[in-house]
Amino acid sequence: DGGITQSPKYLFRKEGQNVTLSCEQNLNHDAMYWYRQDPGQGLRLIYYSQIVNDFQKGDIAEGYSVSREKKESFPLTVTSAQKNPTAFYLCASSGGRVPYNEQFFGPGTRLTVL
Amino acid sequence: GNSVTQMEGPVTLSEEAFLTINCTYTATGYPSLFWYVQYPGEGLQLLLKATKADDKGSNKGFEATYRKETTSFHLEKGSVQVSDSAVYFCALSDNRDDKIIFGKGTRLHILP
């Protein structure tokens, strides 16, 4: 079955440590996205990539980094520079063909900083 | 800039009640509109969409009509079930890039 996988589902890290969240898709989608979800704030875009080896900052990119070396993969690194990293992180992808560019989401990773 | 405003929750209803979740938008041109649903602990799933004025999206008993004159895309269901308890997000794409703008979400509780 085609879809998006994120791992791990739950992640704990100590303050000052970098951590990488995995996102893989087998939908052959060109575009991929990372969102952060906090209670009562909806989804906020961290980074997105429309094509391999290219990505753009979203609304809250500070303290995060990404890479897009393969079409299927878009890992997100939460660095120690991110001041409040505890949140639910969602990865999404889309075919990128406007105007029907609906996004498909993974199950999410819940990151907790101890 | 583009934006989506949806009614704040939580919304609490009894089973079989009629549901309306209001959504209005601000956008240039002719955006595509979406409703997504998020069940506890999961990612978002597309519930329905509409890509032009007067289109009606529908799925699983939910409906929403793209009203350009009122810049609205209200979500409705005639008879809700306990299993409909979730967070619902209204969203738009202005169709000029690959980004979608999401509302803040409305939490829905259905009581048996």
Side-chain angles (χ1 to χ4, degrees), chain A residues 53-82:
Chain A
N53 292 323
D54 189 41
F55 48 82
Q56 289 79 41
K57 293 181 179 180
D59 301 318
I60 56 164
E62 185 175 352
Y64 299 97
S65 65
V66 293
S67 63
R68 186 85 188 276
E69 297 177 0
K70 299 187 299 182
K71 188 175 185 178
E72 302 79 21
S73 178
F74 191 41
L76 173 74
T77 297
V78 184
T79 75
S80 57
Q82 170 51 235

Side-chain angles (χ1 to χ4, degrees), chain B residues 74-94:
Chain B
H74 304 322
L75 182 67
E76 296 182 335
K77 187 175 184 182
S79 177
V80 292
Q81 306 299 315
V82 172
S83 57
D84 293 327
S85 297
V87 180
Y88 292 81
F89 292 91
C90 185
L92 74 81
S93 167
D94 67 7

Side-chain angles (χ1 to χ4, degrees), chain A residues 8-34:
Chain A
K9 188 170 180 64
Y10 299 96
L11 189 56
F12 299 89
R13 93 159 204 214
K14 295 181 180 179
E15 281 193 34
Q17 289 181 336
N18 292 354
V19 63
T20 297
L21 282 59
S22 169
C23 177
E24 303 277 334
Q25 55 100 358
N26 61 2
L27 299 168
N28 199 34
H29 284 168
D30 289 315
M32 297 186 74
Y33 313 79
W34 274 106

Side-chain angles (χ1 to χ4, degrees), chain A residues 46-57:
Chain A
I46 305 173
Y47 269 98
Y48 66 105
S49 168
Q50 295 172 298
I51 196 169
V52 174
N53 292 323
D54 189 41
F55 48 82
Q56 289 79 41
K57 293 181 179 180

